[in-house]
Amino acid sequence: MTRFRELIDSLTGTSHQLEAEDIDRLHVLLSEWQVLSDLWIADLVLWLPAGNGRFRAVDHCRPGTGSTIHLDDVVGLLAAPARSKYLQQAIEYNAIIAPSAIRWAGSYAVEEKYVPIVHHGRTIAVLSAEKNPTARPGFGFEVHNWFEELATMLAEMLTTGEYPSDISPAPGRGGTPRVSDGVVWLDPDGVVKEMSPNAHSCFRHLGISGDLRGRVLAEVVTDMVLDHTQVDETLPVVVMGRAAWMTEIESSTGIATLRAFPLSYEGRRLGAILLCRNVTEHRRHERELLSKDATIREIHHRVKNNLQTVSALLRMQARRSNSDEVKKALGQAERRVSTVAHAHEALSHTVDETIDFDEMMTAIMRMAGSVASTQGDASIHLDGSFGLVDADAASSLAIVLAELVTNAIEHGMDGKAEKGTVTIRVRRYEGNDAEKQTDDSSDETHEDGSQCLDEGCGDTSLTVTDEPQTKTKITGHSHRCDDDGEPVNTMATLEIDVIDDGKGLSVDANVSGLGAYIVRTFVNVELHGSIEWLPGKDGIGTRVHVIARIPVRSRP
């Protein structure tokens, strides 16, 4: 609508001024005029006076039920003087102008009608309907004739300001029905006058067979939905054509959406147009997805319960042991299992395969706080936001941070007299920023000079050993490819620092042990990143620097 508004603003200063509510009315028309275009099988062009007796096209709609007249874009063009004459007559007479002479556009004839758009008794614009009278309709001349009649009724409602309705229903989950989906013409009493072939098919999928013409549609639908306890409250007024609303009908054999367009002229009810669409397969697919989501959440819930059971068993076994070393080892195992359980618990409460990791980090800090209560006096702070993290990466990231934070308290604060502080600082980079972070780290790790053959994509090279080491680097890229070379799941980069003000690392210290090996393995293999243990600022404490690359799932 940006160009539409720009064209309207360009006409400011002419004698034909539009108020804000007039422009809003035109926006409503543009959201609804596809129905008129499809029924008339005509191109619709909206014209506004441009001064000096000329008119400018400000928007254009092509029919979805037939061929278009204008292959090129006409928006922004001025009408020829001969056509401007008819446009001006539509404004002066406030009536539909249908020139008797056929206009020729190259090798084919063009039949035109000019319809004034009236709002609060004032003509604010003119709509031209242009079609090739010799074109053969795709649904037969019999249907075409009553389609033409319905289109004329809608056009006459434009001249009285009764169409389109100010109240338009929001699009349904299966989209808004269109003329090509199926059309039903009701008389003022709700009796079916005509039905398009696609409308017959739509109702047949609902289990309603036979010719519905001459029958009250509301009675037919009522008999069909009696066995269903849940009925949309808008159903009666829609199937009677009383209001411009939309509803959904469900039977034992199918589901359809219906949308009503009441027909009237100067307040006198003339009947209604019903558009119908068969959405059975769409709803079936939706329900399958909901069932799948529910199953996945249930699986995560059960895995969480099982892990909590394992955690409880480890805790019980640790209490029964007489060995301090065994108690410590079982306690560490119990904590690691609980960390994974928290990840599955978070996944059991979401329909997406993503986790708000800031909430999970709160649980990790709480677990680490329980360690601090027995190992030393320390406070834990989070600086920054992790954002949404893919489920596959969330468990690994949780284990890594739980190990690092707990280790900072158990070992970093060991022997520290005053209260210590552990800070988790995180920065997230996506898009160009993630690419820059990736390029910077890649420059340091491609020691052999090798480069990715596909720009922005490639395999991750990795070496993991049991040898103790202080610094681990990894080569990676911010995108991954499928077997066809297409990029999938763009990557975000997390730059994480776990900083404590404890006793710190000695210059020649090697970071070893099972916890360090677990952290390295998860960072390198699962998070496609790097980890580095460094002395803290001014030699106080330790800073563990982690680069993690996580997939960012595209949202539907």
Side-chain angles (χ1 to χ4, degrees), residues 303-316:
V303 170
K304 181 263 296 184
N305 289 343
N306 291 337
L307 289 173
Q308 286 181 336
T309 301
V310 173
S311 179
L313 292 174
L314 290 171
R315 188 163 53 250
M316 291 171 59

Side-chain angles (χ1 to χ4, degrees), residues 160-467:
T160 62
E162 295 172 280
Y163 176 78
S165 172
D166 289 329
I167 302 175
S168 298
R173 290 174 295 164
T176 302
R178 300 184 66 167
V179 170
S180 56
D181 296 317
V183 183
V184 181
W185 182 7
L186 301 179
D187 72 5
D189 298 320
V191 177
V192 177
K193 295 183 66 174
E194 297 288 352
M195 293 181 71
S196 69
N198 284 349
H200 279 287
S201 298
C202 182
F203 280 91
R204 186 176 66 250
H205 280 95
L206 293 174
I208 303 175
S209 58
D211 193 352
L212 295 181
R213 287 178 294 185
R215 302 173 64 182
V216 178
L217 184 62
E219 295 178 355
V220 176
V221 172
T222 300
D223 293 340
M224 181 192 64
V225 300
L226 281 178
D227 296 334
H228 291 264
T229 56
Q230 186 175 0
V231 177
D232 195 329
E233 62 183 7
T234 61
L235 180 61
V237 292
V238 171
V239 295
M240 287 295 294
R242 297 284 182 177
W245 291 347
M246 191 160 65
T247 190
E248 190 168 282
I249 303 176
E250 180 173 359
S251 70
S252 58
T253 58
I255 307 173
T257 55
L258 295 179
R259 185 181 180 189
F261 292 84
L263 298 173
S264 61
Y265 187 73
E266 295 182 344
R268 181 169 58 91
R269 178 172 163 75
L270 302 177
I273 300 170
L274 291 188
L275 302 185
C276 55
R277 170 181 287 180
N278 177 21
V279 294
T280 305
E281 288 303 311
H282 183 80
R283 292 291 179 271
R284 182 184 64 81
H285 183 60
E286 278 185 343
R287 289 168 182 175
E288 286 179 351
L289 290 177
L290 289 174
S291 176
K292 177 183 176 183
D293 289 339
T295 301
I296 292 174
R297 289 198 300 273
E298 179 64 19
I299 290 172
H300 285 302
H301 180 70
R302 294 189 181 188
V303 170
K304 181 263 296 184
N305 289 343
N306 291 337
L307 289 173
Q308 286 181 336
T309 301
V310 173
S311 179
L313 292 174
L314 290 171
R315 188 163 53 250
M316 291 171 59
Q317 188 66 44
R319 289 172 180 172
R320 295 175 65 89
S321 175
N322 295 322
S323 170
D324 291 339
E325 185 177 352
V326 171
K327 285 184 177 182
K328 181 178 180 180
L330 291 175
Q332 290 176 340
E334 186 269 332
R335 187 187 69 246
R336 289 160 183 155
V337 171
S338 295
T339 300
V340 180
H342 276 291
H344 285 282
E345 182 179 16
L347 286 168
S348 69
H349 295 297
T350 179
V351 297
D352 298 319
E353 283 294 288
T354 56
I355 295 176
D356 184 348
F357 201 81
D358 293 332
E359 295 182 4
M360 179 171 289
M361 196 61 213
T362 302
I364 294 173
M365 293 163 64
R366 189 163 51 245
M367 285 192 298
S370 65
V371 174
S373 65
T374 60
Q375 300 293 331
D377 191 9
S379 60
I380 309 171
H381 302 283
L382 175 62
D383 176 13
S385 174
F386 289 88
L388 294 178
V389 175
D390 182 83
D392 294 335
S395 295
S396 301
L397 188 59
I399 291 173
V400 168
L401 291 173
E403 288 291 333
L404 293 177
V405 173
T406 305
N407 184 74
I409 295 173
E410 286 184 338
H411 301 291
M413 305 299 174
D414 187 23
K416 184 177 173 68
E418 66 276 8
K419 182 176 181 179
T421 301
V422 177
T423 302
I424 303 102
R425 186 173 62 206
V426 58
R427 299 293 181 263
R428 180 168 178 147
Y429 305 95
E430 295 188 23
N432 294 332
D433 292 333
E435 292 283 357
K436 183 179 184 300
Q437 290 293 318
T438 302
D439 293 341
D440 292 343
S441 62
S442 296
D443 291 341
E444 295 177 6
T445 55
H446 281 80
E447 297 177 358
D448 59 354
S450 61
Q451 296 183 0
C452 178
L453 297 179
D454 188 8
E455 182 180 357
C457 179
D459 297 329
T460 299
S461 61
L462 171 67
T463 301
V464 178
T465 68
D466 292 331
E467 297 298 326

Side-chain angles (χ1 to χ4, degrees), residues 491-538:
M491 308 291 280
T493 298
L494 294 175
E495 185 176 6
I496 307 164
D497 288 299
V498 179
I499 307 168
D500 68 70
D501 57 358
K503 61 183 181 180
L505 291 172
S506 60
V507 177
D508 58 346
N510 284 323
V511 180
S512 59
L514 178 60
Y517 176 70
I518 290 174
V519 168
R520 286 195 192 94
T521 302
F522 275 106
V523 169
N524 292 342
V525 177
E526 300 295 335
L527 300 177
H528 312 285
S530 63
I531 184 168
E532 188 175 1
W533 278 267
L534 300 167
K537 186 177 180 181
D538 299 327

